[in-house]
């Protein structure tokens, strides 16, 4: 295992970073919380405080919703053409691209994400989502209906209204734009609550949105905690829809609060325990590389992490050997170091949770092949970990760990692989590695999950809808499906008199 922090700090430069935005963004202005309270956001590389952030609670959510409601009911955003909204979203994307380095650095210090990946993937990906929905904004249309009566009928697609977005900490930029981009394109106004662990980039995006020409009140950002700010969004009587990404447990609370308040619709992208199935005919090196990526990308803090790995018995032993060698070569350390493959876990709580699951795995009888220990003198670093001899009923095979832990299991037949893959309460994603198209077709249609990736993983794209089955939630992000969830369908009917045709 390479040294934590990537060896010594020579050979790479940590960019100087000024934290420019720490207040709530409501109605086009940065303001203090009504209570005057702040909270600390910490750098997971060291555990040190980065900045003190205004702490929004119910009173601040009320102000943000009031601004969003005024902007929706009386402002220009839902009333301007889709083409005009699209031009503003393109300008927003331009501004994001102009600040790639600074935004990537914010997500690195706030979330422990690899700086190089932020510059290459996360921040440009956010701009790409804005551009995709900018192009869709003027293509929202209903249908002309062919009625059986002498009437003219048609449907209108209308923005749902004020949306509450509750964003997780593992992909602060990606998730911000998963939610805000289609809602903005649809003509909605919104209140965004970023995770308390990672508020910095969301506040910067609020600033860029204003520079791009998004009218005041349309996009409000209120950092705060789930039980206060998040609960206020979920139960607010003047919010028309909630979009939440996070744990299944909190998703239940969001849905319950939405039902008990004004029966607002919700979309939930929740937990996962995604299987990757490797068949005997797979190229071994390709399969090992793909599974390594699936398990350890973003230090395993990703809802679709390939954390249950099923390998067919003919190549199982060779796979374990190569996967272990690769995990041992992985460099864990400072995410600003371009030689590093894996940064720190998000915070002390998550770090301790992962280590607890590793202990549980050992106690339940799984074999720890490599990793399983903290590394480094400070910060929240954990070695890439592999377990073998894992049974389906074990906690590490059933519960979402959200860390760099791979559980390896063996199977014999296609039917057994399908049964094992489906033996989970989750259904977010799955991977299949095989050269046999018939096997790929059979398995992809048999696994109950919202995304199936064949001979690849993380097959995300702005045009590809993403969302889960079962207790992984419902509702789609990305693609035109995501735009639809921020639109109501209204039917309009008028009688026809003396018409030559119906």
């Amino acid at each position: 295992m390479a040294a934590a922090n990537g060896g010594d700090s020579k050979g790479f430069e940590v960019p100087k970073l000024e934290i420019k935005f720490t207040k709530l963004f409501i109605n086009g202005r940065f303001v203090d919380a009504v209570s005057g309270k702040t909270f600390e956001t910490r750098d997971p590389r060291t555990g040190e405080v980065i900045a003190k952030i205004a702490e929004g609670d119910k009173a601040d959510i009320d102000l943000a919703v009031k601004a969003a409601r005024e902007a929706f009911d009386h402002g220009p955003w839902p009333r301007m053409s889709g083409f005009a909204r699209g031009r503003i979203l393109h300008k927003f994307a331009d501004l994001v691209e102009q600040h790639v380095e600074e935004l990537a650095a914010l997500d690195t210090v706030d979330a422990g994400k690899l700086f190089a990946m932020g510059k290459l993937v996360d921040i440009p990906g956010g701009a790409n989502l804005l551009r995709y929905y900018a192009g869709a904004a003027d293509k929202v249309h209903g249908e002309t209906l062919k009625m059986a009566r002498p009437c003219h009928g048609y449907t209108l697609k209308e923005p749902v209204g004020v949306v509450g977005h509750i964003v997780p900490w593992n992909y602060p930029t990606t998730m911000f734009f998963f939610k805000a981009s289609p809602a903005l394109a649809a003509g909605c106004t919104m209140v965004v609550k970023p995770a308390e662990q990672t508020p910095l980039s969301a506040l910067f995006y609020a600033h860029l949105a204003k520079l791009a020409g998004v009218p005041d009140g349309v996009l409000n950002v209120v950092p705060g905690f789930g039980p206060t700010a998040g609960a206020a969004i979920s139960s607010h009587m003047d919010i028309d829809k909630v979009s939440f990404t996070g744990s299944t447990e909190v998703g239940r609370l969001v849905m319950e609060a939405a039902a008990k308040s004004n029966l607002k619709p919700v979309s939930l992208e929740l937990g996962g325990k995604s299987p990757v199935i490797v068949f005997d005919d797979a190229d071994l090196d390709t399969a090992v590389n793909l599974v390594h990526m699936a398990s350890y990308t973003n230090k395993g803090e990703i809802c679709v992490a390939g954390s249950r790995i099923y390998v067919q018995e003919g190549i199982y032993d060779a796979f374990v050997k190569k996967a272990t060698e690769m995990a041992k070569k992985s460099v864990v350390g400072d995410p600003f170091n371009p030689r590093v493959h894996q940064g720190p876990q998000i915070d002390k709580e998550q770090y301790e949770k992962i280590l607890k699951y590793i202990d549980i795995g050992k106690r339940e009888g799984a074999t720890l092949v490599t990793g399983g220990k903290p590394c480094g003198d400070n910060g929240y670093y954990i070695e890439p970990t592999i377990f073998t001899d894992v049974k389906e009923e074990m906690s590490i095979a059933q519960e979402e760990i959200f860390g760099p832990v791979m559980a390896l299991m063996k199977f014999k037949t296609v039917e057994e692989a399908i049964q094992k893959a489906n033996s989970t309460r989750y259904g977010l994603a799955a991977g299949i590695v095989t050269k046999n198209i018939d096997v790929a077709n059979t398995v992809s249609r048999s696994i109950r999950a919202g995304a199936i990736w064949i001979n690849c993983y993380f097959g995300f794209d702005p045009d590809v809808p993403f969302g889960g089955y079962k207790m992984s939630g419902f509702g789609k992000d990305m693609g035109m499906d995501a735009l639809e969830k921020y639109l109501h369908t209204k039917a309009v009917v008028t009688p026809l008199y003396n018409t030559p045709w119906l």
Side-chain angles (χ1 to χ4, degrees), residues 139-294:
K139 298 167 185 68
V140 175
H141 53 78
E143 296 178 312
T144 301
L145 308 175
K146 202 69 172 173
M147 298 182 63
R149 302 163 52 193
C151 295
H152 174 58
Y154 59 95
T155 58
L156 298 172
K157 294 287 188 177
E158 301 181 343
V160 297
V162 177
V163 181
H165 296 301
I166 303 176
V167 179
W169 45 256
N170 59 327
Y171 277 83
T173 289
T174 303
M175 294 297 161
F176 183 95
F177 288 112
F178 265 22
K179 298 181 184 301
S181 303
L184 287 169
C188 295
T189 62
M190 64 208 64
V191 179
V192 180
K193 191 201 88 65
E196 61 268 23
Q197 296 91 340
T198 54
L200 296 178
S201 58
L203 292 169
F204 204 114
Y205 292 127
H207 164 68
L208 296 182
K210 184 175 176 70
L211 292 182
V214 175
D216 292 350
V218 171
L219 176 63
N220 305 274
V221 177
V222 183
F225 293 86
T228 50
I233 288 174
S234 302
S235 62
H236 206 288
M237 294 296 292
D238 218 15
I239 287 180
D240 300 304
K241 179 181 174 61
V242 172
S243 173
F244 170 81
T245 298
S247 71
T248 298
E249 292 72 26
V250 177
R252 287 180 187 274
L253 298 175
V254 170
M255 194 170 179
E256 181 182 9
K260 286 183 175 179
S261 52
N262 59 345
L263 272 176
K264 64 179 73 65
V266 300
S267 54
L268 304 174
E269 195 265 275
L270 307 176
K273 195 69 180 175
S274 299
V276 182
I277 305 171
V278 181
F279 288 92
D280 279 346
D281 65 343
D283 178 83
L284 187 59
D285 289 333
T286 299
V288 168
N289 277 297
L290 190 149
V291 166
H292 184 91
M293 176 184 70

Side-chain angles (χ1 to χ4, degrees), residues 275-390:
V276 182
I277 305 171
V278 181
F279 288 92
D280 279 346
D281 65 343
D283 178 83
L284 187 59
D285 289 333
T286 299
V288 168
N289 277 297
L290 190 149
V291 166
H292 184 91
M293 176 184 70
S295 296
Y296 301 128
T297 290
N298 203 48
K299 52 278 184 3
E301 292 175 346
I302 180 167
C303 53
V304 293
S307 51
R308 294 186 297 141
I309 311 303
Y310 297 100
V311 182
Q312 202 161 15
E313 58 184 2
I315 60 169
Y316 179 82
D317 291 339
F319 184 97
V320 171
K321 183 174 183 290
K322 281 184 174 284
T324 302
E325 290 170 356
M326 178 167 278
K328 287 180 175 179
K329 291 177 182 176
S330 190
V331 181
V332 181
D334 192 315
F336 282 108
N337 185 340
R339 294 195 301 111
V340 161
H341 304 122
Q342 180 183 309
Q345 310 306 138
I346 183 69
D347 60 14
K348 185 178 181 181
E349 180 181 353
Q350 183 64 19
Y351 168 82
E352 291 177 346
K353 174 188 170 186
I354 296 164
L355 292 174
K356 179 182 176 183
Y357 269 113
I358 292 171
D359 285 339
I360 290 171
K362 291 187 285 188
R363 288 204 311 270
E364 289 186 345
T367 301
L368 180 64
V369 178
T370 188
K373 299 188 296 294
C375 51
D377 298 324
N378 55 14
Y380 307 123
Y381 298 92
I382 297 175
E383 295 173 346
T385 299
I386 296 177
F387 280 104
T388 58
D389 302 313
V390 179

